[in-house]
Amino acid sequence: MDIRSVQVGNVHIGRGQPVLIAGPCSVENLEMLRQVAAAAVKYGVSILRGGSFKPRTSPYSFQGLGIQGFELLGQVGREFNIPVVSEVMSIEQIPPALEHLDMIQVGARNMHNFPLLSALGRVQKPVLLKRGFMATMEEWLLAAEYLVKEGNDGVVLCERGIRTFEPWTRNTLDISAVPLARMLGGYPVVVDPCHASGRRDLLEPLSMAGLAAGADGIMLEVHPDPDKALSDGGQSLSIPELMELAAKLLARIRFETEN
Ligand code: PEP
Ligand code: MN
């Protein structure tokens, strides 16, 4: 099946050349977002990510900056001329998301939130639909259909690991999901090795595996000081680590497209 490419700002996902998406797990403040955005642009990242409404397991954990985070993403995206993506968790968060973002993420925990999917199906903005950590391929592709059925065909899927019996990684990256979702759904597929593994030391091999499996993009979490991150520091790259990994991935992508 041909892949339906999706335009996000001036970037095309699924047109043959895989793209890098990177940014902090959570937008914490303007300064850190600017630092990460500057590095992202410098090292060849195409889309800036940052969580602002955060689906945290514990209600006592940092919940994100909410609408203020969307505003910061919009501001920094304009400053550095890079499209921005962030998650919405409920229908009332859609209008501010439309105002400030170039792409809207549906997180793993909301993949089954059908009213949210239907509402996002009625907007003119691309959606990054993450796979639920207990979702089968069929459930994931049907969740995507909720968007398409209402008229939004700007759907990009994101494989972010599924829950298995293995405790040494946060989740288990389902690498076969990448070619399967592309072949059966025709959607571009992005691989998120950070939430799949929970481990910074696995990001390079899992990203490479994603590219080898045909991923249309790789999404990475980055923080200026990962040990002090308010969420997901253990799976986030520092800025020098982003420089190194982005260079390796882009070299791999260039090699593949030229050969
Ligand atoms: C995220 O990408 O910020 C996130 C919360 O991921 P997931 O929904 O896959 O857990
Ligand atoms: Mn995260």
Side-chain angles (χ1 to χ4, degrees), residues 70-218:
F70 286 175
E71 291 166 355
L72 294 178
L73 281 161
Q75 177 188 333
V76 170
R78 278 191 302 280
E79 179 182 352
F80 291 91
N81 193 27
I82 184 170
V84 294
V85 57
S86 192
E87 174 169 353
V88 301
M89 295 201 295
S90 63
I91 291 174
E92 70 269 17
Q93 294 162 7
I94 296 175
L98 293 175
E99 186 179 343
H100 301 290
L101 309 176
D102 301 289
M103 184 181 219
I104 297 176
Q105 178 170 316
V106 175
R109 290 156 192 81
N110 270 308
M111 191 212 82
H112 294 285
N113 185 338
F114 301 123
L116 179 64
L117 295 174
S118 295
L120 286 171
R122 294 188 283 271
V123 305
Q124 301 294 314
K125 197 69 92 168
V127 173
L128 184 63
L129 177 61
K130 299 193 93 175
R131 181 181 184 180
F133 45 72
M134 299 291 278
T136 63
M137 292 296 307
E138 186 177 19
E139 288 164 342
W140 189 22
L141 292 177
L142 285 171
E145 290 288 314
Y146 271 86
L147 297 162
V148 176
K149 177 170 179 282
E150 297 297 328
N152 190 342
D153 55 8
V155 180
V156 177
L157 300 181
C158 178
E159 163 59 37
R160 47 77 74 210
I162 50 175
R163 186 168 278 183
T164 68
F165 50 79
E166 176 52 64
W168 287 5
T169 49
R170 181 174 176 178
N171 292 281
T172 296
L173 180 63
D174 180 5
I175 204 72
S176 52
V178 179
L180 267 179
R182 296 178 87 252
M183 284 188 300
L184 300 178
Y187 304 106
V189 177
V190 167
V191 165
D192 168 357
C194 298
H195 296 89
S197 68
R199 299 175 56 136
R200 193 179 304 138
D201 58 355
L202 291 183
L203 302 184
E204 179 177 337
L206 295 188
S207 298
M208 288 295 181
L211 291 180
D216 300 282
I218 303 292

